Amino acid sequence: MLLTKKYGDFALVTGATEGIGKDFALELARQGFSLYLVARNETKLKSLQTELSKMGAKDTKVLSLDLSESKNINQLFEITKDISFGLIVHAAGFGSGGPLHELSLENEMNMVDLNCRSVVQMSHHYIQKSIQKQRKLGLILFGSLVGFQGVPWTSTYAASKAFVQSFAEGIHREYRSKGIDVLSVAPGPVASGFGSRAGMKMSMAQSSKGIAKICLKALGKTETIRPGFLSKFLGWSLITLPRKMRSILLQQIMHDMIFPKGAKS
């Protein structure tokens, strides 16, 4: 079934200018959706809008907003109140790396606001609208490989993704009988701007290209997907270990990504 036939013509993508979010914007345009793209960087948004237009995409609108602030999400709701989004891809998020006491508290709290609170706020809003209008809804949220156990040196980020994973699993089962499909995407390392913002050297990372297509095929069929070979390989390698051992192993991997060789942690 065409996704536009199932969910309608309009899709919203946050975090749309880089990595997996951008791949979703490109893939949804190919599949015939009219898009509303949200990210912080207005220049990159307009560049993506131009790229989509050259592809022959249908109507694409862009909005520069920092969704870590609740008032900005309410602004998004108000601006788009007359648009019936049938597909929501909430890819906005970021991470950090290093000893917790050395990291900016403001940045850590901002991360929790974006990675967790905004997910609840947006999910609540669009699920409520879907039920009120008796329309189908596809809701794609983003967990992570690190969200299945505590991970030293990126404790806040890993915890935020554990929240998203648990939240997505819960609402998947709450609403699957009401025409609402919820999917948690739990990737491993992906080549994007994530590593530089988080202060991590990601020597092993998969391309974001093609991830959206894989996830869209899984929407409505499962509750969690680890897209791509690297995500599957790392995920299934770790899942066979006890939770404590997963944390220990990821502690070493994260240490090597954050601290230069010979540096004390």
Side-chain angles (χ1 to χ4, degrees), residues 40-58:
R40 294 183 307 156
N41 191 310
E42 186 174 10
T43 301
K44 289 184 178 181
L45 275 171
K46 289 183 177 179
S47 176
L48 178 57
Q49 187 179 34
T50 300
E51 182 179 351
L52 291 169
S53 178
K54 289 179 179 178
M55 285 173 50
K58 292 175 71 173

Side-chain angles (χ1 to χ4, degrees), residues 167-178 180 182 223:
F167 180 72
E169 289 175 1
I171 60 175
H172 167 84
R173 295 188 178 278
E174 280 187 54
Y175 294 104
R176 61 182 177 176
S177 64
K178 295 180 172 60
I180 297 174
V182 180
E223 62 186 32

Side-chain angles (χ1 to χ4, degrees), residues 12-17 36-40 45 61-67 76 92:
L12 170 67
V13 183
T14 73
T17 54
Y36 211 106
L37 308 178
V38 181
R40 294 183 307 156
L45 275 171
K61 292 182 172 60
V62 298
L63 182 62
S64 175
L65 284 175
D66 180 353
L67 299 182
L76 170 64

Side-chain angles (χ1 to χ4, degrees), residues 63-82:
L63 182 62
S64 175
L65 284 175
D66 180 353
L67 299 182
S68 66
E69 297 188 36
S70 182
K71 64 180 182 180
N72 290 342
I73 296 179
N74 287 330
Q75 183 182 347
L76 170 64
F77 294 160
E78 178 62 27
I79 291 171
T80 62
K81 64 183 178 182
D82 295 326

Side-chain angles (χ1 to χ4, degrees), residues 88-90 115-124 127 137-144 147-148 159-177 180-187 218-225:
I88 310 294
V89 181
H90 192 28
N115 293 5
C116 301
R117 183 199 46 73
S118 73
V119 170
V120 176
Q121 186 174 354
M122 290 188 64
S123 298
H124 181 276
I127 288 174
L137 175 69
L139 180 60
I140 299 177
L141 306 178
F142 285 80
S144 170
F148 296 94
S160 74
K161 292 305 179 180
F163 175 90
V164 175
Q165 181 63 35
S166 180
F167 180 72
E169 289 175 1
I171 60 175
H172 167 84
R173 295 188 178 278
E174 280 187 54
Y175 294 104
R176 61 182 177 176
S177 64
I180 297 174
D181 299 323
V182 180
L183 178 69
S184 172
V185 180
L219 182 62
K221 299 174 184 175
T222 187
E223 62 186 32
T224 301
I225 184 170

Side-chain angles (χ1 to χ4, degrees), residues 84-235:
S84 295
F85 292 117
L87 188 58
I88 310 294
V89 181
H90 192 28
F94 71 95
S96 66
L100 179 63
H101 72 282
E102 294 181 3
L103 298 173
S104 162
L105 177 60
E106 181 180 0
N107 192 66
E108 295 296 285
M109 298 303 292
N110 185 255
M111 187 200 310
V112 173
D113 284 337
L114 181 59
N115 293 5
C116 301
R117 183 199 46 73
S118 73
V119 170
V120 176
Q121 186 174 354
M122 290 188 64
S123 298
H124 181 276
H125 177 80
Y126 290 111
I127 288 174
Q128 191 174 69
K129 288 191 72 172
S130 174
I131 290 175
Q132 287 172 349
K133 295 186 177 184
Q134 296 184 325
R135 288 177 56 94
K136 288 187 178 296
L137 175 69
L139 180 60
I140 299 177
L141 306 178
F142 285 80
S144 170
L145 178 71
V146 301
F148 296 94
Q149 63 283 303
V151 182
W153 317 126
T154 186
S155 300
T156 306
Y157 176 71
S160 74
K161 292 305 179 180
F163 175 90
V164 175
Q165 181 63 35
S166 180
F167 180 72
E169 289 175 1
I171 60 175
H172 167 84
R173 295 188 178 278
E174 280 187 54
Y175 294 104
R176 61 182 177 176
S177 64
K178 295 180 172 60
I180 297 174
D181 299 323
V182 180
L183 178 69
S184 172
V185 180
V190 174
S192 67
F194 174 90
S196 58
R197 184 175 184 184
M200 300 177 189
K201 185 178 180 181
M202 299 172 69
S203 57
M204 182 176 63
Q206 68 186 87
S207 169
S208 60
K209 188 176 180 180
I211 288 180
K213 190 172 184 177
I214 295 169
C215 296
L216 290 169
K217 285 184 178 180
L219 182 62
K221 299 174 184 175
T222 187
E223 62 186 32
T224 301
I225 184 170
R226 295 176 173 88
F229 171 77
L230 183 58
S231 296
K232 287 183 173 64
F233 174 76
L234 292 173

